[in-house]
Amino acid sequence: MKGKEWYQADEVAQEYDSKRFSKGGRLIDRREKEAVLAALGPVEDKNVLEIACGTGRFTVMLAQEGANVVGLDISRAMMVQGREKARRAGVADRIEFLRGDAARLPFPDDHFDAVFAMRFFHLADTPAKFLAEMARVSKQQVFFDTFNDGSLRVAYNWLLPMGSRLYSEGDVRRLLGDAGLDLADAKHDFVIPFGFYRKVPNGVAQPFRSLDLAVGDSPVGDDLASVSYWNARVGRRAVPRGDSGERRRVRRSHGRI
């Protein structure tokens, strides 16, 4: 199976968290949650939309932080897992799960304080349309991640059952500009791709993560990183395509776990 068909399968939803975020995958889960919280800042009483909320990893986390969250996903099976997770965490009253299409969001302009998507753009068949919709319904902020085309992920990308779109920095800058978004910050991480961490025990993964961070802090770390986290602002003048500003490299920093 490929793409949307793979993602919506019941068995994929049931095993999604256990396959990806157990063993060394705990490091990935921890880093991704850190990235979302750091980007969105204090979220108490904020209205937040998560695109492709999946099993509710981030949706539930933000509700626990006091946000009012809408989680939108195309997979009913994934949202079943998310609703159960919210119920167990005692935050079901702060979350609304909706099945919908990210290319046609069922919300008015400027409806949310922040809109974000994790683990989404590598599956996006029309990324420009998705990002434009995210920008349209957000008052202030859009946050998302991408997998990078100059990283070790290229070596195994074709093996993935759902396929995967990889991006360059130039690709992301063009998407942001076309959506009327201004890039505020970018962080880059995981020289060693996710696939490795998911296959090894947590105790084995920890030393590799330390090595990963050391390489990431080196002059070549940004270029080798397999994941980028993009934090953009709404309502500011975008850099015109072809402007010299588009070619300036974003100040980068590495996250810690």
Side-chain angles (χ1 to χ4, degrees), residues 58-77:
F58 306 107
T59 318
V60 170
M61 175 189 71
L62 292 176
Q64 290 174 318
E65 294 289 321
N68 301 306
V69 192
V70 174
L72 183 136
D73 203 281
I74 198 171
S75 170
R76 286 192 176 92

Side-chain angles (χ1 to χ4, degrees), residues 241-255:
R241 187 178 296 181
D243 186 273
S244 60
E246 186 181 67
R247 296 188 292 272
R248 291 196 298 269
R249 293 183 66 81
V250 179
R251 180 180 64 81
R252 305 183 178 200
S253 57
H254 290 276

Side-chain angles (χ1 to χ4, degrees), residues 2 9 13 57-58 70 114 131 139 171 176 186 224-226 228-229:
K2 295 291 184 179
R57 283 194 303 136
F58 306 107
V70 174
L131 192 57
K139 297 176 187 176
D171 293 335
L176 291 170
L224 297 177
S226 63
S228 292
Y229 305 107

Side-chain angles (χ1 to χ4, degrees), residues 148-152 167 169 188-191 215-216 218-228 249 252 254:
N148 300 328
D149 67 356
S151 68
L152 290 174
Y167 295 81
E169 180 180 328
H188 311 269
D189 208 340
F190 288 102
V191 174
V215 175
S218 73
V220 298
D222 289 344
D223 295 324
L224 297 177
S226 63
V227 180
S228 292
R249 293 183 66 81
R252 305 183 178 200
H254 290 276

Side-chain angles (χ1 to χ4, degrees), residues 4-212:
K4 291 181 180 178
E5 182 184 357
W6 172 86
Y7 181 73
Q8 295 182 76
D10 287 346
E11 61 271 21
V12 171
Q14 292 165 7
E15 299 176 352
Y16 190 82
D17 286 357
S18 62
K19 280 192 172 182
R20 283 160 180 76
F21 308 115
S22 61
K23 300 192 292 187
R26 296 175 188 171
L27 296 173
I28 302 170
D29 182 55
R30 185 175 172 184
R31 176 65 183 104
E32 289 184 329
K33 288 176 177 176
E34 177 193 73
V36 170
L37 286 175
L40 299 188
V43 295
E44 187 172 2
D45 295 327
K46 283 187 176 180
N47 296 315
V48 179
L49 171 65
E50 180 182 5
I51 302 293
C53 64
T55 61
R57 283 194 303 136
F58 306 107
T59 318
V60 170
M61 175 189 71
L62 292 176
Q64 290 174 318
E65 294 289 321
N68 301 306
V69 192
V70 174
L72 183 136
D73 203 281
I74 198 171
S75 170
R76 286 192 176 92
M78 288 283 184
M79 287 190 291
V80 167
Q81 301 295 317
R83 290 188 180 99
E84 176 58 21
K85 192 176 293 182
R87 186 193 65 78
R88 292 197 307 267
V91 293
D93 60 329
R94 302 195 72 97
I95 302 173
E96 181 180 6
F97 288 99
L98 294 176
R99 188 168 188 260
D101 183 354
R104 292 183 295 274
L105 295 176
F107 310 106
D109 295 358
D110 304 326
H111 191 66
F112 296 95
D113 296 306
V115 178
F116 77 101
M118 295 289 288
R119 300 293 189 97
F120 173 63
F121 273 83
H122 69 294
L123 296 176
D125 50 358
T126 56
K129 184 179 293 186
F130 293 142
L131 192 57
E133 276 291 273
M134 292 172 71
R136 179 184 67 79
V137 301
S138 178
K139 297 176 187 176
Q140 302 171 5
Q141 182 179 19
V142 171
F143 178 72
F144 62 100
D145 67 331
T146 59
F147 292 127
N148 300 328
D149 67 356
S151 68
L152 290 174
R153 189 178 175 90
V154 173
Y156 74 95
N157 194 54
W158 62 277
L159 291 171
L160 299 175
M162 68 293 196
S164 188
R165 181 188 293 265
L166 305 182
Y167 295 81
S168 68
E169 180 180 328
D171 293 335
V172 175
R173 282 184 171 273
R174 283 187 288 274
L175 287 168
L176 291 170
D178 290 346
L181 293 166
D182 183 52
L183 183 61
D185 186 37
K187 291 180 171 60
H188 311 269
D189 208 340
F190 288 102
V191 174
I192 301 172
F194 287 169
F196 171 81
Y197 287 105
R198 290 201 297 261
K199 297 296 184 181
V200 300
N202 192 52
V204 174
Q206 287 282 358
F208 280 96
R209 180 60 176 153
S210 297
L211 175 63
D212 196 327

